[in-house]
Amino acid sequence: MEERNNMTSEMEQPEHDQQEAVVTEEQADNHNEASAQQEEAQQENPESSKVAELEAKLDEAENRYLRLQADFDNFRRRSRLDLEASAKYRAQNLVTDLLPAIDSFERAMQMDTDNEQAKSLLKGMDMVYQGLLAALKKEGVEPIEAVGQEFDPHRHQAVMQDNDENYGSNIVVAELQKGYMLKDRVIRPSMVKVNQ
């Protein structure tokens, strides 16, 4: 019986060796197929790397194009806004230069006189003054309202303070020099006296 068992185990060994040989052959075949695929991939890899490189360059060129287009759109918008602003405020330098002359007219017309010649001269000055104001108004220049208004640091420049019970706190009591606006821009703030 022992012989029989030995024979059986001897018979099984070749079968076992045969299975190992089959497994080894399959592994070798798999290894060969993997190597062949790697070689094919390496052969195809230069082409795919070129494609990837070209795609990257294309993406970079598209991004650069989009940035340039956005920059150009921004430039066009800024140019349009600058042009509109220059058209809207084209008279600003002229108005700024005329304001001292207008102030002088206002001070001159506050003179009281009994002389007929001086009165006729003041009447002529008033006509010139009104003509200047009409021309400035046509360009969009308006005087800033100050007396009786609440103090606004964007429109008023406080140079004095007062304690007047007739006015509330932070209210402009007197205007020492007129302020002017050109459309929505302050050309010169009003110099005012503010109640505490």
Side-chain angles (χ1 to χ4, degrees):
M1 189 126 149
E2 282 182 25
E3 286 178 24
R4 199 174 190 190
N5 280 342
N6 285 341
M7 268 178 60
T8 311
S9 56
E10 284 176 13
M11 288 174 73
E12 286 178 4
Q13 274 182 344
E15 253 182 56
H16 179 68
D17 289 341
Q18 206 174 23
Q19 284 178 352
E20 281 183 16
V22 169
V23 168
T24 307
E25 284 178 21
E26 284 179 12
Q27 287 176 347
D29 286 344
N30 286 341
H31 180 69
N32 289 339
E33 284 178 23
S35 297
Q37 287 176 352
Q38 285 177 352
E39 286 176 19
E40 286 178 23
Q42 287 175 353
Q43 289 173 357
E44 291 178 10
N45 195 14
E47 290 177 11
S48 64
S49 69
K50 284 183 182 179
V51 169
E53 184 181 329
L54 291 174
E55 285 178 349
K57 285 183 180 180
L58 178 64
D59 288 344
E60 183 182 332
E62 283 179 0
N63 286 338
R64 195 172 340 136
Y65 168 73
L66 291 174
R67 277 192 228 107
L68 283 172
Q69 186 177 12
D71 287 345
F72 181 69
D73 289 344
N74 289 338
F75 170 75
R76 227 181 7 197
R77 182 176 46 81
R78 276 194 310 270
S79 297
R80 188 186 75 240
L81 291 175
D82 289 346
L83 187 63
E84 288 174 0
S86 67
K88 185 175 182 179
Y89 303 113
R90 71 183 182 278
Q92 181 172 349
N93 290 335
L94 178 63
V95 170
T96 304
D97 292 342
L98 286 177
L99 289 181
I102 290 173
D103 293 338
S104 296
F105 270 108
E106 289 173 350
R107 282 191 294 275
M109 290 185 305
Q110 289 175 354
M111 285 188 349
D112 287 333
T113 183
D114 294 333
N115 188 342
E116 288 299 318
Q117 280 186 322
K119 284 184 179 179
S120 66
L121 182 64
L122 285 175
K123 188 174 181 181
M125 284 181 63
D126 184 50
M127 290 171 63
V128 173
Y129 172 73
Q130 293 301 327
L132 280 172
L133 288 182
L136 291 175
K137 187 171 186 172
K138 187 177 174 183
E139 287 297 319
V141 176
E142 295 285 336
I144 295 174
E145 295 294 324
V147 178
Q149 302 289 319
E150 186 173 350
F151 176 74
D152 180 359
H154 300 292
R155 296 171 158 227
H156 305 130
Q157 179 182 358
V159 292
M160 295 177 71
Q161 287 188 338
D162 196 11
N163 268 333
D164 192 341
E165 294 177 0
N166 296 329
Y167 292 97
S169 177
N170 207 27
I171 300 295
V172 175
V173 176
E175 182 177 53
L176 306 174
Q177 184 182 45
K178 260 190 187 176
Y180 291 92
M181 292 187 70
L182 176 61
K183 299 189 169 112
D184 57 353
R185 183 182 287 180
V186 175
I187 299 295
R188 182 177 76 185
S190 300
M191 293 176 80
V192 296
K193 183 193 290 188
V194 182
N195 201 32
Q196 288 183 340

